[in-house]
Amino acid sequence: MDFLGHNGISIPVSQINYLLQPLLIHIRNRGTFLIAVDDHLFREIFGRAFHSQNDGYMLPADSAEHNRLDVQHILLRLVLGNSLYPAQDIVRKALSPHQQERPAVLDIGTGSGRWAIDMAAEFPHAEVVGLDLVPPTLAGVNEMPANCRFEVDDANLPLEHYANSFNLCHVRSAEAGIHDFDNFLYNVAQILRPHGVLVLSTGSPQLYDENFEPLPVAHPSDERFSWVQRVLGETFIVYRNRGNPSCEAGIHWHGWLEKNPNFYDLKTREVFIPLGPWTGTADETQTYIAELMRYDISHALHSFKPMILMDGLRQDVVDRMVDAAIIEMRDLKVHAYVKWRYTYAIRKDTPWCERLEAPRPIDKMSALTITPRFEDACRSLETRNSIAIPA
């Protein structure tokens, strides 16, 4: 377990500014709502653009969301010591240029495409493919690397057309759009070459306090109550109400991969990132990371609004709840960590094995991402709409 703000890798401020400056320029140049591709790929819900191919993933796919993902990309790069991936030695070995076949990388759920573009720049000898339900807007990208391309596809569909094609598969925060993540891991094994690497990462909707204990999320009268946690908890309830357990898949990755005969040498690392600069650290790198985490979550709350509204909460309730959460982060009223999980494994050099057993439902308690009392307090829509929120 790592926790930033108390230790971590320091990066020169000049290097951080080098990463942030082009990002800030292209965010300013982007509109708040931009669709520059075929309209049939999108639908508009509560003023935001969503893809129209998969009801499981419930975050927007417009420029405002891609702005947020780009900032999150820089944040996570800094968390990893200015690296695009954990387990640097393993990944670099997998993408070594001294191979019979040209190394190839697949980024599933590529979002804004920023990770794929940066990987193509770092590994110019490799082919990099970004895959998502809609193409990235790519605003602010001055020059696309010649070795990078984007494809529109649904990762829930069979991937045999990519069989034995990639040395690295990267999946970041895409689990909510995958209907059966256990089976998805088998499909990924099919597309990886022998000794290829799978890298999974995601953030948890459960915040943690200074002692790394889960924050309560049930009611404002609770000790240590957080409006940020309340909104994150609402998104969790939305996914549960829609019968989508995949939003909890991250806590099962390690166990699923242990049972998967196609992988070996799997590891999981959890990183606790301060939600805002409340730790008092003098380290400038950690301060940047905490500020970027606050930016990421602040804008994510706005991206969560449409899904919560679709679940039946009133507009005024959602607006005031998000406003209270934004003020809470601005004023550092709650000292909280956001937990990011990294799980990675290596593909065996044995023939691919498909999953033979039928899928089993995720056990509710073993998959409990959010503290149990929240579900009890928010079981009815009337209860959720009647919560007392500061005006």
Side-chain angles (χ1 to χ4, degrees):
M1 179 180 74
D2 300 322
F3 52 102
L4 296 174
H6 294 262
N7 60 19
I9 300 173
S10 291
I11 301 171
V13 173
S14 59
Q15 196 170 7
I16 296 175
N17 289 335
Y18 173 78
L19 293 172
L20 289 174
Q21 192 58 35
L23 173 66
L24 295 174
I25 290 173
H26 92 257
I27 285 179
R28 285 196 296 267
N29 288 339
R30 275 182 176 170
T32 57
F33 181 86
L34 172 65
I35 297 179
V37 292
D38 294 341
D39 287 345
H40 75 276
L41 296 174
F42 295 87
R43 53 183 172 164
E44 185 175 339
I45 302 174
F46 291 105
R48 299 293 298 271
F50 287 74
H51 62 76
S52 57
Q53 287 76 47
N54 182 337
D55 289 334
Y57 189 80
M58 300 177 65
L59 285 174
D62 53 25
S63 296
E65 176 65 3
H66 283 184
N67 288 344
R68 182 186 73 84
L69 293 176
D70 281 348
V71 172
Q72 183 188 89
H73 170 70
I74 297 296
L75 154 69
L76 296 175
R77 181 167 181 165
L78 294 174
V79 165
L80 293 174
N82 196 20
S83 175
L84 296 168
Y85 40 85
Q88 284 90 345
D89 291 345
I90 296 173
V91 170
R92 288 166 186 162
K93 181 179 180 180
L95 297 179
S96 168
H98 307 296
Q99 304 183 48
Q100 291 182 340
E101 296 179 283
R102 184 186 185 188
V105 178
L106 180 63
D107 183 26
I108 296 180
T110 194
S112 69
R114 185 63 51 177
W115 187 89
I117 292 170
D118 284 357
M119 282 293 289
E122 181 174 343
F123 296 95
H125 61 278
E127 177 186 13
V128 180
V129 180
L131 184 74
D132 213 326
L133 293 166
V134 296
T137 54
L138 299 178
V141 177
N142 296 323
E143 184 176 354
M144 175 68 66
N147 59 323
C148 182
R149 73 175 191 273
F150 295 96
E151 297 184 1
V152 174
D153 204 348
D154 188 346
N156 289 292
L157 302 176
L159 300 174
E160 64 262 22
H161 55 292
Y162 286 133
N164 198 41
S165 296
F166 297 98
N167 302 77
L168 172 64
C169 179
H170 175 260
V171 187
R172 182 163 73 194
S173 297
E175 63 275 6
I178 304 297
H179 305 321
D180 182 352
F181 208 94
D182 186 13
N183 189 66
F184 169 74
L185 294 174
Y186 280 83
N187 292 341
V188 168
Q190 185 180 22
I191 69 177
L192 282 173
R193 293 167 178 162
H195 306 295
V197 180
L198 167 64
V199 175
L200 309 169
S201 67
T202 192
S204 171
Q206 174 67 65
L207 298 179
Y208 293 81
D209 65 17
E210 294 168 284
N211 299 314
F212 306 104
E213 295 294 329
L215 285 176
V217 288
H219 195 273
S221 62
D222 286 349
E223 186 181 0
R224 298 162 38 246
F225 176 82
S226 165
W227 285 109
V228 182
Q229 182 61 87
R230 177 75 192 208
V231 179
L232 293 176
E234 286 288 348
T235 66
F236 177 84
I237 293 298
V238 171
Y239 277 112
R240 278 292 185 87
N241 287 345
R242 294 173 68 91
N244 182 3
S246 294
C247 61
E248 305 171 78
I251 59 178
H252 291 279
W253 288 343
H254 199 100
W256 285 334
L257 286 169
E258 281 185 325
K259 297 177 181 178
N260 192 312
N262 298 292
F263 292 98
Y264 73 101
D265 198 21
L266 69 116
K267 293 181 174 62
T268 292
R269 172 191 175 192
E270 293 179 341
V271 182
F272 287 80
I273 308 170
L275 180 55
W278 56 264
T279 62
T281 178
D283 186 290
E284 291 180 301
T285 300
Q286 307 311 316
T287 300
Y288 268 113
I289 288 172
E291 289 280 14
L292 292 175
M293 188 79 260
R294 180 165 60 176
Y295 177 100
D296 180 24
I297 297 298
S298 296
H299 287 75
L301 299 185
H302 289 287
S303 293
F304 294 152
K305 277 186 176 183
M307 74 164 79
I308 300 173
L309 290 168
M310 283 190 289
D311 204 50
L313 263 70
R314 300 197 313 269
Q315 180 83 57
D316 65 303
V317 171
V318 177
D319 288 343
R320 287 190 292 130
M321 193 182 301
V322 169
D323 288 346
I326 298 295
I327 293 171
E328 182 179 277
M329 284 186 286
R330 182 197 67 191
D331 297 342
L332 300 176
K333 292 181 178 179
V334 173
H335 294 176
Y337 287 104
V338 177
K339 182 170 73 173
W340 269 84
R341 176 180 289 107
Y342 294 89
T343 297
Y344 45 94
I346 303 176
R347 174 73 165 91
K348 293 179 179 178
D349 59 4
T350 54
W352 174 68
C353 296
E354 63 179 320
R355 186 175 70 175
L356 300 178
E357 61 182 14
R360 292 175 295 179
I362 296 177
D363 178 72
K364 184 174 181 180
M365 291 309 296
S366 72
L368 201 57
T369 305
I370 295 289
T371 49
R373 192 179 165 205
F374 180 71
E375 286 195 283
D376 294 336
C378 300
R379 197 168 300 278
S380 74
L381 185 61
E382 181 180 1
T383 301
R384 292 161 66 196
N385 267 320
S386 62
I387 186 170
I389 308 172

